[in-house]
PDB file of all heavy atoms in Angstrom:
ATOM      1  N   ALA A   1       8.838   1.222   8.229  1.00 97.00           N
ATOM      2  CA  ALA A   1       9.553   1.557   9.513  1.00 97.00           C
ATOM      3  C   ALA A   1       8.749   2.660  10.288  1.00 97.00           C
ATOM      4  O   ALA A   1       8.917   2.796  11.558  1.00 97.00           O
ATOM      5  CB  ALA A   1      10.910   2.167   9.242  1.00 97.00           C
ATOM      6  N   ALA A   2       7.807   3.387   9.624  1.00 96.00           N
ATOM      7  CA  ALA A   2       6.989   4.385  10.276  1.00 96.00           C
ATOM      8  C   ALA A   2       5.908   3.718  11.093  1.00 96.00           C
ATOM      9  O   ALA A   2       5.218   4.410  11.825  1.00 96.00           O
ATOM     10  CB  ALA A   2       6.394   5.354   9.272  1.00 96.00           C
ATOM     11  N   GLY A   3       5.711   2.433  10.922  1.00 90.00           N
ATOM     12  CA  GLY A   3       4.593   1.667  11.545  1.00 90.00           C
ATOM     13  C   GLY A   3       4.720   1.423  13.052  1.00 90.00           C
ATOM     14  O   GLY A   3       5.493   2.144  13.723  1.00 90.00           O
ATOM     15  N   PRO A   4       4.019   0.391  13.515  1.00 98.00           N
ATOM     16  CA  PRO A   4       3.425  -0.675  12.681  1.00 98.00           C
ATOM     17  C   PRO A   4       2.281  -0.155  11.852  1.00 98.00           C
ATOM     18  O   PRO A   4       1.452   0.648  12.274  1.00 98.00           O
ATOM     19  CB  PRO A   4       2.932  -1.613  13.695  1.00 98.00           C
ATOM     20  CG  PRO A   4       2.781  -0.925  15.038  1.00 98.00           C
ATOM     21  CD  PRO A   4       3.858   0.164  14.947  1.00 98.00           C
ATOM     22  N   VAL A   5       2.294  -0.649  10.581  1.00 98.00           N
ATOM     23  CA  VAL A   5       1.234  -0.218   9.628  1.00 98.00           C
ATOM     24  C   VAL A   5       0.021  -1.083   9.832  1.00 98.00           C
ATOM     25  O   VAL A   5       0.043  -2.308   9.684  1.00 98.00           O
ATOM     26  CB  VAL A   5       1.757  -0.353   8.120  1.00 98.00           C
ATOM     27  CG1 VAL A   5       0.634   0.131   7.192  1.00 98.00           C
ATOM     28  CG2 VAL A   5       3.009   0.451   7.982  1.00 98.00           C
ATOM     29  N   GLU A   6      -1.067  -0.400  10.081  1.00 98.00           N
ATOM     30  CA  GLU A   6      -2.396  -1.099  10.384  1.00 98.00           C
ATOM     31  C   GLU A   6      -3.253  -1.297   9.103  1.00 98.00           C
ATOM     32  O   GLU A   6      -3.987  -2.269   8.998  1.00 98.00           O
ATOM     33  CB  GLU A   6      -3.133  -0.186  11.403  1.00 98.00           C
ATOM     34  CG  GLU A   6      -4.535  -0.768  11.788  1.00 98.00           C
ATOM     35  CD  GLU A   6      -5.172   0.121  12.833  1.00 98.00           C
ATOM     36  OE1 GLU A   6      -4.530   0.931  13.452  1.00 98.00           O
ATOM     37  OE2 GLU A   6      -6.420   0.039  12.922  1.00 98.00           O
ATOM     38  N   LEU A   7      -3.063  -0.299   8.188  1.00 98.00           N
ATOM     39  CA  LEU A   7      -3.970  -0.351   6.988  1.00 98.00           C
ATOM     40  C   LEU A   7      -3.242   0.443   5.897  1.00 98.00           C
ATOM     41  O   LEU A   7      -2.513   1.385   6.174  1.00 98.00           O
ATOM     42  CB  LEU A   7      -5.302   0.264   7.343  1.00 98.00           C
ATOM     43  CG  LEU A   7      -6.336   0.502   6.179  1.00 98.00           C
ATOM     44  CD1 LEU A   7      -6.793  -0.821   5.661  1.00 98.00           C
ATOM     45  CD2 LEU A   7      -7.537   1.382   6.693  1.00 98.00           C
ATOM     46  N   VAL A   8      -3.487   0.025   4.652  1.00 98.00           N
ATOM     47  CA  VAL A   8      -2.951   0.768   3.479  1.00 98.00           C
ATOM     48  C   VAL A   8      -4.138   1.116   2.603  1.00 98.00           C
ATOM     49  O   VAL A   8      -4.966   0.225   2.311  1.00 98.00           O
ATOM     50  CB  VAL A   8      -1.900  -0.044   2.705  1.00 98.00           C
ATOM     51  CG1 VAL A   8      -1.450   0.698   1.475  1.00 98.00           C
ATOM     52  CG2 VAL A   8      -0.759  -0.474   3.619  1.00 98.00           C
ATOM     53  N   LEU A   9      -4.252   2.373   2.231  1.00 98.00           N
ATOM     54  CA  LEU A   9      -5.287   2.811   1.295  1.00 98.00           C
ATOM     55  C   LEU A   9      -4.664   3.392   0.007  1.00 98.00           C
ATOM     56  O   LEU A   9      -3.604   3.986   0.119  1.00 98.00           O
ATOM     57  CB  LEU A   9      -6.162   3.893   1.993  1.00 98.00           C
ATOM     58  CG  LEU A   9      -6.867   3.511   3.281  1.00 98.00           C
ATOM     59  CD1 LEU A   9      -7.600   4.706   3.883  1.00 98.00           C
ATOM     60  CD2 LEU A   9      -7.873   2.364   3.064  1.00 98.00           C
ATOM     61  N   VAL A  10      -5.353   3.240  -1.164  1.00 98.00           N
ATOM     62  CA  VAL A  10      -4.861   3.841  -2.377  1.00 98.00           C
ATOM     63  C   VAL A  10      -5.994   4.722  -2.926  1.00 98.00           C
ATOM     64  O   VAL A  10      -7.141   4.385  -2.915  1.00 98.00           O
ATOM     65  CB  VAL A  10      -4.384   2.814  -3.322  1.00 98.00           C
ATOM     66  CG1 VAL A  10      -3.198   2.055  -2.810  1.00 98.00           C
ATOM     67  CG2 VAL A  10      -5.528   1.884  -3.753  1.00 98.00           C
ATOM     68  N   THR A  11      -5.574   5.876  -3.477  1.00 98.00           N
ATOM     69  CA  THR A  11      -6.541   6.835  -4.013  1.00 98.00           C
ATOM     70  C   THR A  11      -6.996   6.470  -5.478  1.00 98.00           C
ATOM     71  O   THR A  11      -8.068   6.928  -5.809  1.00 98.00           O
ATOM     72  CB  THR A  11      -5.956   8.229  -4.022  1.00 98.00           C
ATOM     73  OG1 THR A  11      -4.783   8.240  -4.839  1.00 98.00           O
ATOM     74  CG2 THR A  11      -5.602   8.666  -2.599  1.00 98.00           C
ATOM     75  N   HIS A  12      -6.163   5.715  -6.194  1.00 97.00           N
ATOM     76  CA  HIS A  12      -6.548   5.282  -7.539  1.00 97.00           C
ATOM     77  C   HIS A  12      -5.548   4.323  -8.005  1.00 97.00           C
ATOM     78  O   HIS A  12      -4.501   4.119  -7.468  1.00 97.00           O
ATOM     79  CB  HIS A  12      -6.784   6.496  -8.468  1.00 97.00           C
ATOM     80  CG  HIS A  12      -5.546   7.238  -8.809  1.00 97.00           C
ATOM     81  ND1 HIS A  12      -4.894   8.003  -7.843  1.00 97.00           N
ATOM     82  CD2 HIS A  12      -4.792   7.373  -9.902  1.00 97.00           C
ATOM     83  CE1 HIS A  12      -3.866   8.575  -8.394  1.00 97.00           C
ATOM     84  NE2 HIS A  12      -3.792   8.228  -9.634  1.00 97.00           N
ATOM     85  N   ARG A  13      -5.828   3.697  -9.197  1.00 96.00           N
ATOM     86  CA  ARG A  13      -5.078   2.503  -9.641  1.00 96.00           C
ATOM     87  C   ARG A  13      -3.765   2.780 -10.224  1.00 96.00           C
ATOM     88  O   ARG A  13      -3.002   1.843 -10.523  1.00 96.00           O
ATOM     89  CB  ARG A  13      -5.992   1.789 -10.601  1.00 96.00           C
ATOM     90  CG  ARG A  13      -6.307   2.577 -11.918  1.00 96.00           C
ATOM     91  CD  ARG A  13      -6.999   1.733 -12.972  1.00 96.00           C
ATOM     92  NE  ARG A  13      -7.241   2.501 -14.132  1.00 96.00           N
ATOM     93  CZ  ARG A  13      -6.295   2.843 -15.087  1.00 96.00           C
ATOM     94  NH1 ARG A  13      -5.066   2.362 -14.926  1.00 96.00           N
ATOM     95  NH2 ARG A  13      -6.623   3.545 -16.160  1.00 96.00           N
ATOM     96  N   HIS A  14      -3.376   4.049 -10.625  1.00 96.00           N
ATOM     97  CA  HIS A  14      -2.171   4.325 -11.378  1.00 96.00           C
ATOM     98  C   HIS A  14      -0.945   3.753 -10.634  1.00 96.00           C
ATOM     99  O   HIS A  14      -0.763   3.832  -9.417  1.00 96.00           O
ATOM    100  CB  HIS A  14      -2.051   5.769 -11.703  1.00 96.00           C
ATOM    101  CG  HIS A  14      -2.953   6.217 -12.790  1.00 96.00           C
ATOM    102  ND1 HIS A  14      -3.306   7.566 -13.011  1.00 96.00           N
ATOM    103  CD2 HIS A  14      -3.566   5.463 -13.750  1.00 96.00           C
ATOM    104  CE1 HIS A  14      -4.062   7.657 -14.052  1.00 96.00           C
ATOM    105  NE2 HIS A  14      -4.240   6.376 -14.530  1.00 96.00           N
ATOM    106  N   SER A  15       0.000   3.260 -11.394  1.00 96.00           N
ATOM    107  CA  SER A  15       1.097   2.433 -10.781  1.00 96.00           C
ATOM    108  C   SER A  15       2.035   3.363  -9.954  1.00 96.00           C
ATOM    109  O   SER A  15       2.664   2.798  -9.091  1.00 96.00           O
ATOM    110  CB  SER A  15       1.880   1.799 -11.927  1.00 96.00           C
ATOM    111  OG  SER A  15       2.439   2.738 -12.814  1.00 96.00           O
ATOM    112  N   ASP A  16       2.120   4.672 -10.275  1.00 97.00           N
ATOM    113  CA  ASP A  16       2.957   5.505  -9.463  1.00 97.00           C
ATOM    114  C   ASP A  16       2.385   5.582  -8.025  1.00 97.00           C
ATOM    115  O   ASP A  16       3.132   6.114  -7.111  1.00 97.00           O
ATOM    116  CB  ASP A  16       3.249   6.819 -10.065  1.00 97.00           C
ATOM    117  CG  ASP A  16       1.953   7.614 -10.283  1.00 97.00           C
ATOM    118  OD1 ASP A  16       1.047   7.109 -10.955  1.00 97.00           O
ATOM    119  OD2 ASP A  16       1.955   8.770  -9.861  1.00 97.00           O
ATOM    120  N   HIS A  17       1.170   5.143  -7.809  1.00 98.00           N
ATOM    121  CA  HIS A  17       0.583   5.183  -6.455  1.00 98.00           C
ATOM    122  C   HIS A  17       0.432   3.778  -5.923  1.00 98.00           C
ATOM    123  O   HIS A  17       0.374   3.625  -4.662  1.00 98.00           O
ATOM    124  CB  HIS A  17      -0.830   5.826  -6.506  1.00 98.00           C
ATOM    125  CG  HIS A  17      -0.819   7.249  -6.858  1.00 98.00           C
ATOM    126  ND1 HIS A  17      -1.004   8.292  -5.986  1.00 98.00           N
ATOM    127  CD2 HIS A  17      -0.578   7.859  -8.035  1.00 98.00           C
ATOM    128  CE1 HIS A  17      -0.882   9.422  -6.598  1.00 98.00           C
ATOM    129  NE2 HIS A  17      -0.649   9.264  -7.812  1.00 98.00           N
ATOM    130  N   THR A  18       0.357   2.751  -6.683  1.00 98.00           N
ATOM    131  CA  THR A  18      -0.001   1.429  -6.280  1.00 98.00           C
ATOM    132  C   THR A  18       1.023   0.338  -6.496  1.00 98.00           C
ATOM    133  O   THR A  18       0.907  -0.742  -5.954  1.00 98.00           O
ATOM    134  CB  THR A  18      -1.275   0.949  -6.971  1.00 98.00           C
ATOM    135  OG1 THR A  18      -1.078   0.834  -8.346  1.00 98.00           O
ATOM    136  CG2 THR A  18      -2.495   1.907  -6.718  1.00 98.00           C
ATOM    137  N   ALA A  19       2.057   0.591  -7.307  1.00 98.00           N
ATOM    138  CA  ALA A  19       2.970  -0.492  -7.655  1.00 98.00           C
ATOM    139  C   ALA A  19       3.690  -1.102  -6.399  1.00 98.00           C
ATOM    140  O   ALA A  19       4.031  -2.243  -6.409  1.00 98.00           O
ATOM    141  CB  ALA A  19       4.052   0.063  -8.671  1.00 98.00           C
ATOM    142  N   GLY A  20       3.806  -0.257  -5.336  1.00 98.00           N
ATOM    143  CA  GLY A  20       4.472  -0.738  -4.193  1.00 98.00           C
ATOM    144  C   GLY A  20       3.508  -1.428  -3.133  1.00 98.00           C
ATOM    145  O   GLY A  20       3.939  -1.881  -2.092  1.00 98.00           O
ATOM    146  N   SER A  21       2.218  -1.509  -3.522  1.00 98.00           N
ATOM    147  CA  SER A  21       1.271  -2.044  -2.569  1.00 98.00           C
ATOM    148  C   SER A  21       1.484  -3.454  -2.102  1.00 98.00           C
ATOM    149  O   SER A  21       1.482  -3.805  -0.918  1.00 98.00           O
ATOM    150  CB  SER A  21      -0.169  -1.880  -3.174  1.00 98.00           C
ATOM    151  OG  SER A  21      -0.528  -0.584  -3.374  1.00 98.00           O
ATOM    152  N   ALA A  22       1.706  -4.327  -3.085  1.00 98.00           N
ATOM    153  CA  ALA A  22       1.981  -5.756  -2.736  1.00 98.00           C
ATOM    154  C   ALA A  22       3.204  -5.897  -1.819  1.00 98.00           C
ATOM    155  O   ALA A  22       3.194  -6.675  -0.891  1.00 98.00           O
ATOM    156  CB  ALA A  22       2.136  -6.586  -3.996  1.00 98.00           C
ATOM    157  N   ARG A  23       4.280  -5.204  -2.180  1.00 98.00           N
ATOM    158  CA  ARG A  23       5.501  -5.284  -1.348  1.00 98.00           C
ATOM    159  C   ARG A  23       5.251  -4.717   0.067  1.00 98.00           C
ATOM    160  O   ARG A  23       5.737  -5.326   1.031  1.00 98.00           O
ATOM    161  CB  ARG A  23       6.536  -4.499  -2.129  1.00 98.00           C
ATOM    162  CG  ARG A  23       7.877  -4.401  -1.338  1.00 98.00           C
ATOM    163  CD  ARG A  23       8.533  -5.746  -1.122  1.00 98.00           C
ATOM    164  NE  ARG A  23       9.896  -5.599  -0.518  1.00 98.00           N
ATOM    165  CZ  ARG A  23      10.458  -6.512   0.245  1.00 98.00           C
ATOM    166  NH1 ARG A  23       9.852  -7.624   0.471  1.00 98.00           N
ATOM    167  NH2 ARG A  23      11.635  -6.308   0.753  1.00 98.00           N
ATOM    168  N   LEU A  24       4.544  -3.635   0.137  1.00 98.00           N
ATOM    169  CA  LEU A  24       4.299  -3.123   1.513  1.00 98.00           C
ATOM    170  C   LEU A  24       3.440  -4.004   2.334  1.00 98.00           C
ATOM    171  O   LEU A  24       3.623  -4.215   3.523  1.00 98.00           O
ATOM    172  CB  LEU A  24       3.635  -1.693   1.416  1.00 98.00           C
ATOM    173  CG  LEU A  24       3.512  -0.876   2.699  1.00 98.00           C
ATOM    174  CD1 LEU A  24       4.847  -0.711   3.421  1.00 98.00           C
ATOM    175  CD2 LEU A  24       2.823   0.421   2.499  1.00 98.00           C
ATOM    176  N   HIS A  25       2.396  -4.660   1.623  1.00 98.00           N
ATOM    177  CA  HIS A  25       1.589  -5.641   2.309  1.00 98.00           C
ATOM    178  C   HIS A  25       2.490  -6.789   2.854  1.00 98.00           C
ATOM    179  O   HIS A  25       2.264  -7.249   3.965  1.00 98.00           O
ATOM    180  CB  HIS A  25       0.511  -6.139   1.318  1.00 98.00           C
ATOM    181  CG  HIS A  25      -0.227  -7.355   1.835  1.00 98.00           C
ATOM    182  ND1 HIS A  25      -0.970  -7.332   2.987  1.00 98.00           N
ATOM    183  CD2 HIS A  25      -0.299  -8.639   1.355  1.00 98.00           C
ATOM    184  CE1 HIS A  25      -1.561  -8.526   3.162  1.00 98.00           C
ATOM    185  NE2 HIS A  25      -1.116  -9.311   2.242  1.00 98.00           N
ATOM    186  N   ALA A  26       3.389  -7.247   1.982  1.00 98.00           N
ATOM    187  CA  ALA A  26       4.303  -8.346   2.341  1.00 98.00           C
ATOM    188  C   ALA A  26       5.182  -7.894   3.574  1.00 98.00           C
ATOM    189  O   ALA A  26       5.478  -8.716   4.484  1.00 98.00           O
ATOM    190  CB  ALA A  26       5.167  -8.778   1.195  1.00 98.00           C
ATOM    191  N   LEU A  27       5.656  -6.693   3.566  1.00 98.00           N
ATOM    192  CA  LEU A  27       6.533  -6.166   4.614  1.00 98.00           C
ATOM    193  C   LEU A  27       5.792  -6.052   5.936  1.00 98.00           C
ATOM    194  O   LEU A  27       6.372  -6.265   7.005  1.00 98.00           O
ATOM    195  CB  LEU A  27       7.165  -4.895   4.220  1.00 98.00           C
ATOM    196  CG  LEU A  27       8.245  -4.871   3.187  1.00 98.00           C
ATOM    197  CD1 LEU A  27       8.565  -3.457   2.762  1.00 98.00           C
ATOM    198  CD2 LEU A  27       9.463  -5.591   3.699  1.00 98.00           C
ATOM    199  N   THR A  28       4.507  -5.658   5.907  1.00 98.00           N
ATOM    200  CA  THR A  28       3.772  -5.275   7.115  1.00 98.00           C
ATOM    201  C   THR A  28       2.644  -6.118   7.507  1.00 98.00           C
ATOM    202  O   THR A  28       2.209  -6.161   8.649  1.00 98.00           O
ATOM    203  CB  THR A  28       3.242  -3.852   6.939  1.00 98.00           C
ATOM    204  OG1 THR A  28       2.252  -3.857   5.939  1.00 98.00           O
ATOM    205  CG2 THR A  28       4.367  -2.843   6.552  1.00 98.00           C
ATOM    206  N   GLY A  29       2.100  -6.949   6.529  1.00 98.00           N
ATOM    207  CA  GLY A  29       0.921  -7.665   6.820  1.00 98.00           C
ATOM    208  C   GLY A  29      -0.404  -6.919   6.739  1.00 98.00           C
ATOM    209  O   GLY A  29      -1.447  -7.424   6.908  1.00 98.00           O
ATOM    210  N   ALA A  30      -0.268  -5.568   6.564  1.00 98.00           N
ATOM    211  CA  ALA A  30      -1.428  -4.660   6.557  1.00 98.00           C
ATOM    212  C   ALA A  30      -2.277  -4.952   5.276  1.00 98.00           C
ATOM    213  O   ALA A  30      -1.693  -5.015   4.159  1.00 98.00           O
ATOM    214  CB  ALA A  30      -1.007  -3.306   6.629  1.00 98.00           C
ATOM    215  N   PRO A  31      -3.563  -4.988   5.425  1.00 98.00           N
ATOM    216  CA  PRO A  31      -4.418  -5.069   4.194  1.00 98.00           C
ATOM    217  C   PRO A  31      -4.319  -3.751   3.337  1.00 98.00           C
ATOM    218  O   PRO A  31      -4.189  -2.681   3.974  1.00 98.00           O
ATOM    219  CB  PRO A  31      -5.813  -5.281   4.764  1.00 98.00           C
ATOM    220  CG  PRO A  31      -5.807  -4.666   6.172  1.00 98.00           C
ATOM    221  CD  PRO A  31      -4.408  -4.925   6.664  1.00 98.00           C
ATOM    222  N   VAL A  32      -4.498  -3.950   2.066  1.00 98.00           N
ATOM    223  CA  VAL A  32      -4.510  -2.831   1.130  1.00 98.00           C
ATOM    224  C   VAL A  32      -5.897  -2.722   0.551  1.00 98.00           C
ATOM    225  O   VAL A  32      -6.425  -3.669   0.018  1.00 98.00           O
ATOM    226  CB  VAL A  32      -3.434  -3.016   0.054  1.00 98.00           C
ATOM    227  CG1 VAL A  32      -3.403  -1.780  -0.935  1.00 98.00           C
ATOM    228  CG2 VAL A  32      -2.017  -3.247   0.603  1.00 98.00           C
TER     229      VAL A  32
END
């Protein structure tokens, strides 16, 4: 809702940072 989200970046692979990546990509279409 803060978007439109243009891009998603992650700082490292741990799930507390990345587990929501696929869902946010689906919600926004933004590449991760």
Side-chain angles (χ1 to χ4, degrees):
V5 179
E6 179 179 342
L7 175 67
V8 179
L9 301 174
V10 297
T11 60
H12 65 292
R13 64 174 180 78
H14 283 161
S15 61
D16 60 307
H17 294 256
T18 64
S21 294
R23 174 65 172 152
L24 188 60
H25 171 62
L27 286 171
T28 66
V32 180

